[in-house]
Amino acid sequence: MTVSAYAALETDLASGRLAEVIADIAEEAARLILPYWRADTAVETKADASPVTEADRAAEALILSRLAEHWPQVEAVAEEAVAADGAPPSVGPWFWLIDPLDGTKGFIQGRESYTVNIALVRGDAVVAGVVTAPALALTWRSVAPGEGAQRRAFGEAWKPARVRERPQDATALVSHSISDEDAERLAGRNGCRLWQGMDSSLKFCLIAEGRFDAYPRTGPTSEWDTAAGQAVLEAAGGRVLAEDGRPLAYRKPSFLNGPFSAIGA
């Protein structure tokens, strides 16, 4: 990227234009995905044994194209491109992290909690993000730095999103892939008496809007799984902490995350 390209990106981030544009792109991808949902879409298996559908690939192509129209010199790390190439690309000081369809297993099974994720990383920190839930017709975004987080139903106005004060019966969200025993243990470790299983980055957003309190994760995730949700949750007053107690950082080897806890108040 040139100096002028960095300056333009910084200006768009600070003004809120970037947040508006990437939210529109995520919702456009959501509209593309919806006809594939509950439509017996063909499923393939990637090298890591995870599933992929034509909806994943089509949404990623659309997102990459739209981002390049607005910010042509910003590199992107996108899930399906990485799977096809066998390794993540090298990136500059700013780059996009994209998961075009997070929660593909649930999407294939007809569940509603799958999402579209677009995030911007500067250095090793996520600085902007948007998460859209196509089946729920909802979008969450970080706004300009320091201006909080917002949520909107498709076609409606943005409304503020904010984490809640932790209640006595705090509730954790956990991955569907873990056992009840592990879920109870993880919830308790994060001060939560109750827990609920859920797919995708939607977990970050439901904490961000004050409906739940924590999302502990021990199993492996990729950076594109967490970046957009982290941006939304942090903007809403929450935190996403690695095992060392520091904010979950990005640009790690192979773009893989270790254990972390996403928490509200």
Side-chain angles (χ1 to χ4, degrees):
M1 286 177 64
T2 64
V3 173
S4 61
Y6 286 127
L9 192 60
E10 186 82 59
T11 297
D12 288 341
L13 176 64
S15 70
R17 175 181 177 269
L18 184 144
E20 193 66 42
V21 170
I22 64 174
D24 288 344
I25 293 171
E27 291 181 0
E28 184 180 359
R31 292 190 292 272
L32 184 155
I33 287 168
L34 276 170
Y36 293 95
W37 183 49
R38 296 178 176 172
D40 295 323
T41 301
V43 180
E44 300 175 30
T45 301
K46 295 187 286 190
D48 64 359
S50 64
V52 63
T53 71
E54 182 57 31
D56 297 76
R57 295 187 175 119
E60 181 167 299
L62 183 149
I63 292 166
L64 290 171
S65 174
R66 295 290 184 267
L67 291 174
E69 291 171 7
H70 291 277
W71 301 283
Q73 298 185 58
V74 182
E75 295 102 341
V77 178
E79 179 178 17
E80 305 314 328
V82 171
D85 295 342
S90 59
V91 292
W94 297 73
F95 65 97
W96 301 106
L97 275 169
I98 299 163
D99 190 340
L101 204 170
D102 186 29
T104 300
K105 291 180 181 178
F107 171 83
I108 293 165
Q109 295 168 11
R111 295 200 294 267
E112 295 180 340
S113 53
Y114 60 93
T115 57
V116 176
N117 299 268
I118 304 172
L120 179 65
V121 175
R122 176 174 56 198
D124 65 356
V126 61
V127 294
V130 60
V131 176
T132 290
L136 303 177
L138 293 171
T139 298
W140 297 260
R141 69 174 183 179
S142 61
V143 195
E147 295 189 12
Q150 296 176 328
R151 184 190 97 149
R152 75 177 173 195
F154 288 5
E156 298 184 8
W158 290 105
K159 297 180 180 180
R162 185 73 184 173
V163 299
R164 69 183 180 185
E165 292 297 322
R166 180 166 289 214
Q168 183 175 355
D169 289 332
T171 304
L173 293 168
V174 299
S175 171
H176 271 305
S177 64
I178 66 174
S179 68
D180 288 357
E181 292 78 9
D182 284 342
E184 185 172 354
R185 176 179 54 80
L186 284 174
R189 184 189 298 174
N190 284 264
C192 296
R193 294 180 56 221
L194 308 173
W195 61 272
Q196 180 176 321
M198 185 168 291
D199 298 316
S200 81
S201 62
L202 185 61
K203 296 186 281 292
F204 293 96
C205 300
L206 296 182
I207 300 170
E209 65 175 46
R211 292 174 58 186
F212 294 88
D213 304 290
Y215 163 35
R217 181 80 183 215
T218 57
T221 57
S222 294
E223 292 187 358
W224 50 77
D225 295 318
T226 61
Q230 180 171 347
V232 171
L233 180 54
E234 290 180 342
R239 294 170 290 165
V240 183
L241 304 177
E243 280 192 304
D244 61 5
R246 299 178 181 179
L248 187 65
Y250 290 82
R251 202 189 295 266
K252 297 185 293 296
S254 300
F255 291 83
L256 291 175
N257 295 321
F260 65 83
S261 291
I263 52 179

